Amino acid sequence: MGYLAEEQQLDDPLALEHQVCFSLAVASRMVIGLYRPVLAPLGLTHPQYLVMLALWQFEPLSVGEIAQMLELESATVSPLLKRLEASGLVVRERAAENERRLTVRLTPQGRELRSQAESIPAQMMERLGLDMGQLQDLNSALQQVITKAGRAEAGEPGSKSGDGSG
């Protein structure tokens, strides 16, 4: 990095490069940035792509189910769904059994888009320079972080929160 002597950085628990939060934030921004040109031909943003992934796997879903799967608030998901509906990829319908529940289904165009999207994982492996095993290991480690952070956030016994590691 060059800002401090390396021996100082190794001893400093608050050194920027030692902070997991910093590494995750930068990695997230950079990886999502790599998705932009891959998703552009499909007419999707990264958040819209995540919604479509959920629907391709589990359609039909309620707005609340999509929000829960993506770890987002329903108020964040609703505008994404409106844009996807305006693009002709999904349809939002009131559930017959519960008028308050909004169900989301793919249109034929939304289903067809899946075949184009099937090349995205391979394109991302190439862009990242990682093989399938490396990506699976990374994803497994990130899933552990997500699970443990969720437990800590919920205050579950045995989870460590506030331990000072960034």
Side-chain angles (χ1 to χ4, degrees):
M1 289 200 98
Y3 292 110
L4 299 173
E6 286 200 25
E7 57 273 359
Q8 288 176 320
Q9 292 175 1
L10 292 174
D11 293 338
D12 185 359
L14 296 180
L16 186 60
E17 65 274 8
H18 294 173
Q19 307 311 305
V20 172
C21 61
F22 174 70
S23 297
L24 286 171
V26 172
S28 176
R29 281 195 313 271
M30 293 181 90
V31 170
I32 290 170
L34 289 175
Y35 269 91
R36 280 188 195 100
V38 174
L39 294 173
L42 300 172
L44 296 174
T45 63
H46 187 262
Q48 291 170 337
Y49 175 61
L50 297 178
V51 170
M52 294 300 290
L53 287 171
L55 289 167
W56 287 327
Q57 188 173 3
F58 297 109
E59 177 202 19
L61 291 169
S62 72
V63 174
E65 289 168 333
I66 294 169
Q68 184 177 10
M69 288 176 73
L70 300 182
E71 300 281 342
L72 296 170
E73 297 294 323
S74 292
T76 303
V77 172
S78 292
L80 294 171
L81 293 172
K82 285 180 184 175
R83 286 192 290 279
L84 289 170
E85 188 171 39
S87 298
L89 300 175
V90 303
V91 174
R92 297 175 299 150
E93 306 166 324
R94 295 280 170 203
E97 70 279 359
N98 181 350
E99 288 276 326
R100 293 177 295 172
R101 183 179 156 117
L102 205 55
T103 301
V104 182
R105 296 183 186 280
L106 293 165
T107 63
Q109 182 182 344
R111 281 187 196 88
E112 288 174 23
L113 191 62
R114 187 184 196 282
S115 63
Q116 293 175 29
E118 287 177 351
S119 68
I120 291 173
Q123 289 179 62
M124 291 308 300
M125 278 189 347
E126 184 177 327
R127 291 177 74 87
L128 290 168
L130 299 173
D131 65 32
M132 183 59 78
Q134 291 170 310
L135 278 178
Q136 288 173 336
D137 291 346
L138 176 59
N139 193 42
S140 178
L142 290 171
Q143 289 297 325
Q144 287 180 16
V145 169
I146 291 166
T147 298
K148 290 177 187 254
R151 288 180 184 157
E153 190 175 65
E156 288 186 18
S159 63
K160 293 184 178 183
S161 60
D163 65 1
S165 59

